[in-house]
Amino acid sequence: MSAMVDSSSTALNNLPNLFRAGTHLVAVQSPITERRSLLEQFLSWTDAPLHFWSAGFKMLQQVEQHDNKLLLKPCGSDRIDDILQFVINHHFAGWFMVEGLLELDDTGELSAEQVAELTDTFYTLQQQPNLKIVLVDEYVQFPIELMALIPTLENPLPEGEGVNRLVSEFCIQHPDLAGEQRLLVRACLGLPHSEVQLVLSRLSVSCSSIVELAQSVLAHKVSKLKGRGLEFIAKPDVPAGGLDLLEAVLDRDCSLLSPHAAQYELSLPKGILLWGPPGTGKSLSAKHAALKMGVPLIAANWGSLRSPKPGQSEKNLNFLLQQCCINAPVVLFFDDFEKGFAGWSSDVDGGVESRLANKLLTWMQERIEPVYVVATCNRLEKLPPELIRRFDTIVFVDLPHAGARKEIFDLHLAKYFPAFRDPTHSPLSDREWRRLLKATHLCTPAEIALIVRKAAQEAFYQSRPGHCTLEDLLVQRSLMVPAMIREEEAILAIRNRASFARPAASPDTSQWAMPEQRLFQFDSDAAAS
């Protein structure tokens, strides 16, 4: 069962209205770091006594505030395992915040016993109008029978204005930290309210400027994201080459981020699906999409999102989507997308795969935030049709033709060899270039990059760093077997369906264009000569 948040009153500040309307049992989805801020918020909303219980201490405590300090006073020393039954049986009055009670079983759902207890609690509270209970957890996942009884509210992450206020208050208290606050605000986006305060306070001790502090906060956030199967990807070390039509698509989509586009009711497309053989530059293009837009790239590893812990997979996906929306505009990148949907239509894993897929499908259809989804796949037929329809554009990224290979070689050679940094004065003659391009006609961009890198390493080992000849490159080519030869049958199966998508590159009209040849005809003499 997917997590559901009551559509009519999702904001936390609707809690007092629900209580006044006769609802006495409410769930709140909130990060664990927000315990103190929730208690302070509840105190400001009620004149009745406020009590707190957590699954950690399992002790009932009364919440008070003196001199702007939050105090929790134990109500006795006894351990309380069944807090709901205890509160109801002792005829308490007031508000009770119960944290960590909604633990999922091995199937990723609440147990039948928990469902029965929550149902009984709901009906019993109808007879005790002075008793209000708030169930707080990081991720709330109710079965259908409880959704109508217990509304779920969300304690959202602070958005731009809220983070800006927190950062401004912090900078006023730390005037010694000079620099542009905007950088720090951007770094703090995606962190809960209290976590922003904790992190800024802790990290500022070892930082001498706003820029340094922003970098430390970003490192904290990246580390946190990796723990949930996510990461912010660094900028690519070289541009993508030979993909002019794909570049045009990305340029068009990037233009729609402009505020001017909004005046004409135009918005950023949902995303783009890059399809083709492995190693052809699909992942590199995703990095360039983020670079072009000037926004962060969040990479999601579908395998890391999955967890054997009940309910954790759904929690991780919820966290991912929340981070994307709060950090928007952002590029969300799924590599090898089809691997996440191998069992999407079966229940072999208890239906986890299906729930994740359906949640992602719904989010991609309904989101309004500027999140540009870039997904790569090798086998398009393994993706559910419902998902393919969520993408505005499908691009087939094929093997590079000769002109594209020349461009890719130029980009990578310039990285290691100064003599190649001006393509108009290349150390290789036209005849040598033709030999090299013919020898690499089955190579992917990734394999071309490997050939150049290996040649650079070998040149360094031979005490001639920064120098490269045609023979150096041909030797490295002869030492490798392209994937297009190793996996001929699988690659042909992919390429045979290329007509279902638009191409990533124009036909080769360069001076390096070669007569068409059989794709998998490999001239070993050309590679060695």
Side-chain angles (χ1 to χ4, degrees), residues 20 38-39 53 73 204 227 286 289 301 313 319 323 360 372 374 458 464 475 487:
R20 282 193 291 268
L38 280 180
L39 290 172
W53 179 94
K73 297 182 177 179
S204 63
N301 184 321
S313 298
F319 178 79
Q323 286 296 316
L360 181 63
Y372 191 71
V374 179
E458 185 65 22
R464 49 186 183 89
V475 165
E487 305 168 21

Side-chain angles (χ1 to χ4, degrees), residues 1 9 45 55 58 74 104 130 135 236 270 282 313 376 382 395 450 467 477 495 498 504 509 526:
M1 212 52 64
S9 57
W45 284 339
K58 296 192 175 180
L104 305 179
N130 295 324
L135 306 170
K270 299 292 185 183
K282 302 185 296 296
S313 298
T376 69
K382 291 187 177 296
V395 176
L450 178 62
H467 294 83
R477 166 62 187 89
R495 299 185 79 250
T509 58

Side-chain angles (χ1 to χ4, degrees), residues 178-344:
E180 177 58 58
Q181 292 186 23
R182 179 178 54 84
L183 297 175
L184 190 54
V185 170
R186 184 71 191 176
C188 290
L189 282 174
L191 298 178
H193 180 282
S194 296
E195 188 172 348
V196 171
Q197 296 174 317
L198 289 170
V199 169
L200 290 179
S201 177
R202 182 171 67 239
L203 296 179
S204 63
V205 176
S206 57
C207 297
S208 57
S209 68
I210 292 292
V211 173
E212 188 178 349
L213 180 56
Q215 292 172 343
S216 297
V217 173
L218 186 58
H220 164 83
K221 188 163 69 171
V222 169
S223 176
K224 179 180 178 180
L225 291 174
K226 284 183 177 179
R228 294 288 185 92
L230 316 176
E231 59 180 318
F232 280 100
I233 298 295
K235 296 179 181 179
D237 55 354
V238 296
L243 303 174
D244 59 313
L245 296 183
L246 174 57
E247 289 283 325
V249 172
L250 295 177
D251 286 338
R252 179 205 66 196
D253 291 351
C254 290
S255 69
L256 296 175
L257 267 178
S258 166
H260 187 56
Q263 299 176 11
Y264 296 91
E265 301 298 325
L266 299 175
S267 59
L268 189 68
K270 299 292 185 183
I272 184 171
L273 180 61
L274 305 180
W275 164 41
T280 49
K282 302 185 296 296
S283 299
L284 185 62
S285 297
K287 297 180 182 181
H288 279 284
L291 190 62
K292 280 177 174 290
M293 294 180 182
V295 301
L297 175 69
I298 297 181
N301 184 321
W302 195 268
S304 297
L305 289 174
R306 292 293 310 275
S307 172
K309 183 179 179 182
Q312 188 63 45
S313 298
E314 290 90 339
K315 185 184 295 185
N316 288 343
L317 180 58
N318 190 66
F319 178 79
L320 161 65
L321 303 182
Q322 188 180 50
Q323 286 296 316
C324 288
C325 292
I326 201 69
N327 282 281
V330 69
V331 170
L332 172 58
F333 174 46
F334 286 99
D335 202 10
D336 294 329
F337 203 31
E338 71 271 30
K339 292 181 180 179
F341 294 87
W344 78 281

Side-chain angles (χ1 to χ4, degrees), residues 151-162:
T152 300
L153 307 182
E154 186 174 10
N155 184 19
L157 297 174
E159 298 182 353
E161 184 177 343

Side-chain angles (χ1 to χ4, degrees), residues 374-438:
V374 179
T376 69
C377 74
N378 299 328
R379 304 298 296 268
L380 186 69
E381 68 274 14
K382 291 187 177 296
L383 287 175
E386 298 92 328
L387 182 61
I388 295 175
R389 290 197 297 268
R390 298 300 192 272
F391 291 91
D392 300 84
T393 309
I394 303 175
V395 176
F396 187 80
V397 187
D398 203 354
L399 288 174
H401 52 56
R405 293 199 300 279
K406 171 63 165 60
E407 183 179 343
I408 295 166
F409 264 115
D410 284 336
L411 292 170
H412 289 281
L413 286 167
K415 179 181 176 182
Y416 299 103
F417 306 107
F420 285 88
R421 288 174 186 167
D422 182 0
T424 60
H425 295 84
S426 174
L428 301 184
S429 66
D430 286 0
R431 181 175 178 276
E432 288 176 317
W433 269 116
R434 292 188 187 281
R435 286 181 60 194
L436 179 60
L437 296 177
K438 183 177 181 181

